[in-house]
Amino acid sequence: SSELTQDPAVSVALGQTVRITCQGASLKNYYASWYQQKPRQAPVLVIYGRNNRPSGIPDRFSGSSSGNTGSLTITGAQAEDEADYYCNSRDSSGNNLVFGGGTKLTVL
Amino acid sequence: QVQLQESGPGLVKPSETLSLTCTVSGDSISSSYWNWIRQPPGKGLEWIGYISDSGSTNYNPSLRGRVTISLDTSKNQFSLKLTSVTAADAAVYYCARAQSTRLNFYFDYWGQGTLVTVSS
């Protein structure tokens, strides 16, 4: 089992807002980063740090953190946002890296 | 534009050693953290380990003892060796560059991935 816990599946209506969460003790001390993975493709970084987007990532993607939970919010979800989303952070020791189990996002 | 490309055998026999190389272009390997990450078919991502620009390494505790990551700065490449493989090691293997801050460690560039099958 992973030190970071994600809901296995989430759905959102087209154009609505969805929040994907990542829980873990280490998130009290470290930020979560978020990755989007579409079928048969490599993951793509969408959020890192407090709330930073790499170049080319739409501004409908945002990140936040509270206590032991990191969140990825998509405001106005689009059909192309349908994908698996993974969080990652350091583990509780701070020495190793861990991924959440992933959340499959369906856009209805 | 930073690009990473994995290469190596797609088929490894049980008990043998899996060897992969990642070739980096658009960035010097003498900076950042260079990682291997894998994903079994239909499953989630698992961090294998990294080597830093100084050559220090850090491995997933679940794989420690079987994994070695090394750097070849002359070729701008880094490599993965995983010994005594079993069917559980079958996965898509990704190489990725990472950045580290005091509060965050994130993978900003990824290779396309290479599928490794374990079978006799």
Side-chain angles (χ1 to χ4, degrees), chain B residues 103-117:
Chain B
L103 299 179
N104 201 200
F105 190 104
Y106 56 94
F107 307 99
D108 57 352
Y109 287 97
W110 296 65
Q112 66 185 24
T114 187
L115 176 63
V116 176
T117 302

Side-chain angles (χ1 to χ4, degrees), chain A residues 5 28 57 77:
Chain A
T5 301
K28 292 180 182 178
I57 301 301

Side-chain angles (χ1 to χ4, degrees), chain B residues 40-68:
Chain B
K43 296 189 178 180
L45 300 167
E46 179 183 31
W47 173 72
I48 297 171
Y50 69 65
I51 187 164
S52 73
D53 51 357
S54 65
S56 64
T57 55
N58 191 16
Y59 303 130
N60 188 321
S62 69
L63 297 171
R64 205 163 286 156
R66 291 203 297 136
V67 62
T68 303

Side-chain angles (χ1 to χ4, degrees), chain A residues 29-33 35 37 41-45 47-50 86 88-91 95-101, chain B residues 35 37 39 43-47 50 58-61 64 94 100-108 110-113:
Chain A
N29 300 313
Y30 303 105
Y31 290 120
S33 303
Y35 306 84
Q37 186 180 33
Q41 295 184 20
V44 173
L45 177 69
I47 291 289
Y48 65 97
R50 188 173 184 180
Y86 293 90
N88 103 276
S89 185
R90 297 181 185 275
D91 68 1
N95 294 326
N96 303 303
L97 290 310
V98 290
F99 285 95
Chain B
N35 294 257
I37 294 159
Q39 185 172 35
K43 296 189 178 180
L45 300 167
E46 179 183 31
W47 173 72
Y50 69 65
N58 191 16
Y59 303 130
N60 188 321
R64 205 163 286 156
Y94 296 100
S100 178
T101 69
R102 188 173 64 84
L103 299 179
N104 201 200
F105 190 104
Y106 56 94
F107 307 99
D108 57 352
W110 296 65
Q112 66 185 24

Side-chain angles (χ1 to χ4, degrees), chain A residues 2 9 14 20 25-26 28 32-33 42 44 49-50 56 60 62-63 66 69 75-77 80 92 95 101 108:
Chain A
S2 173
L14 184 67
I20 299 170
S26 65
K28 292 180 182 178
S33 303
V44 173
R50 188 173 184 180
R60 63 178 178 272
S62 62
S66 178
T69 301
T75 304
E80 60 263 33
S92 299
N95 294 326
L108 304 172

Side-chain angles (χ1 to χ4, degrees), chain B residues 10-15 18 85-91 116-120:
Chain B
L11 178 63
V12 182
K13 292 182 169 60
S15 80
L18 180 160
V85 301
T86 70
D89 295 310
V116 176
T117 302
V118 179
S119 175
S120 55

